[in-house]
Every structure is written in C-alpha cells, then in structure tokens.
Amino acid sequence: LGDHTKKIVEYAERCAADNKQVKIRSDGPYGALPFNYCRYGSILFVAGGIGITPIIGILKDIYGNVGSDSNKKHPSHCIKNVSVVWIMPHAAEATLFLGLLNSFHLKSLEDPTVPDLKLSIHVTRDSNDAMIIGQQVTYSKPDFNVVMDECVGNKPDGLKSILAYACGPTGMVNHLWDASMKKNSKELRVDFYHETFEF
C-alpha cells in the first residue's frame, strides 16, 4: 500500500479502537486512457507500486474476469503479446494483485485465443530472501533498455507499432520514456503514454 492508503488504514484502526464509525469520501475515476490499446499487436505495461491499478483494469478487459463465465467473448483486438513489468520496494506489496496477475498469466498459457503474457516483478529494497509465492522475482530495478529490446524482439513479424504505457513515479516513467524513444525507427514506432504520481 502507498503512504496515503496506509494513513486511511491507520485512521480506520483508530476509529475501530474508539468504537467510532469510519467516514471516508472517495471521488473519481476521472478521464479515460489517452490511447486505444486494442489497436496494438504488442504492449508493454510498466507499473511502479500501486501504479499497477489502471493496468489491472486493462488486463481484465484483455483476459476477461478470470473465474467468471468462461464462455464470455474476448474483446476484439489485434493484441498478440503483453509484457507487464511491476516494480515495488517491498515484496509484501505484491500480495494485493499477485493472484489476479498469476491467473491472467495462466489463462494466457492455457487459452490460445488470448495474447501471450510475460510478467516480470522487480523488488528494489528487500533482500533476496523476501519471497513472493508463485512468481519469479528480480531483486533490482529493471534495465529499461533490456526491457525494450525484449519487447522489440518478441513483437510479431510485420508489426509496425508497439504501445508502451507507464504508471508510477516520475523517475521510473522518464527512464522508460528514454528507452522507448530509442526504439523508434523507419520500421517501428513506439507509442509512449504515461501517468505519474509522487507522494
């Protein structure tokens, strides 16, 4: 959880201890995504911490709500592969969405009608002994030049554009932006979109 979310939990715990009703107001969501991800054959999503939230919504649309009606039609799109890079300081932060991400990954392995999904989790502050069950974890920041090389290498033949979308802290977003722009050429266009947040 982020700092603000932790404060909400602490507030709720104080209210419970004092036998008071918790009052929280929420507002949003606002706006829409500035791109149509269904038009891309290859997609890279990069999330810093809770920045995974909008990406989860997109993945639900692409892979369907896993565990719900299995006969549900998948949205029409030309997506062939999706890469998700999720970066967090502590392994414990993965517990919120890890089960859902793993279910999307499993569906991509079992169902030939959905895009391939590559999931990469990076923990930046814990030691190697902090475990995330059921997932390969890298205990360092990702090298976005390598990430972009892999995306370009894994794109379907004949593909002319890749979507790169980042949601997270400004520094992370800027590093990915720089790496993605290096891949633009006459043969390939990388469309980069982002949302940033700071606390």
Side-chain angles (χ1 to χ4, degrees):
L1 299 178
D3 294 339
H4 184 71
T5 309
K6 287 178 186 173
K7 289 178 185 176
I8 293 171
V9 171
E10 290 168 2
Y11 167 71
E13 289 170 346
R14 284 194 309 274
C15 287
D18 295 340
N19 204 22
K20 292 182 182 177
Q21 182 179 6
V22 177
K23 294 181 181 180
I24 298 173
R25 287 189 286 174
S26 173
D27 203 7
Y30 295 101
L33 293 171
F35 55 85
N36 182 350
Y37 54 87
C38 293
R39 294 183 177 174
Y40 293 88
S42 189
I43 301 173
L44 168 64
F45 294 122
V46 176
I50 200 67
I52 194 70
T53 307
I55 294 167
I56 291 291
I58 297 169
L59 293 173
K60 282 182 178 179
D61 188 46
I62 294 170
Y63 295 98
N65 286 318
V66 178
S68 65
D69 181 12
S70 61
N71 295 326
K72 180 184 172 192
K73 296 277 186 201
H74 300 293
S76 60
H77 55 68
C78 64
I79 304 166
K80 299 297 181 201
N81 57 51
V82 177
S83 295
V84 176
V85 178
W86 188 15
I87 308 154
M88 65 201 72
H90 306 288
E93 295 176 32
T95 58
L96 189 57
F97 293 113
L98 187 60
L100 190 56
L101 289 170
N102 282 334
S103 66
F104 294 148
H105 185 250
L106 183 62
K107 187 169 187 176
S108 78
L109 296 172
E110 295 175 344
D111 186 344
T113 67
V114 299
D116 293 336
L117 176 62
K118 180 181 181 220
L119 180 59
S120 176
I121 295 178
H122 293 259
V123 176
T124 60
R125 294 190 188 150
D126 285 343
S127 63
N128 292 6
D129 58 353
M131 295 294 295
I132 297 178
I133 305 300
Q135 193 52 244
Q136 178 72 30
V137 177
T138 303
Y139 291 90
S140 66
K141 292 180 181 179
D143 180 335
F144 289 127
N145 291 309
V146 172
V147 169
M148 288 307 304
D149 287 343
E150 289 174 356
C151 285
V152 170
N154 292 333
K155 75 173 181 55
D157 290 337
L159 192 69
K160 303 286 186 203
S161 62
I162 293 174
L163 168 65
Y165 172 69
C167 184
T170 303
M172 180 204 79
V173 167
N174 288 341
H175 285 299
L176 179 61
W177 196 344
D178 291 343
S180 67
M181 291 300 101
K182 292 177 189 174
K183 294 300 176 186
N184 280 316
S185 67
K186 289 181 181 179
E187 294 80 31
L188 179 69
R189 185 184 77 238
V190 178
D191 294 338
F192 181 80
Y193 295 91
H194 69 281
E195 292 182 44
T196 57
F197 57 81
E198 298 296 331
F199 292 105

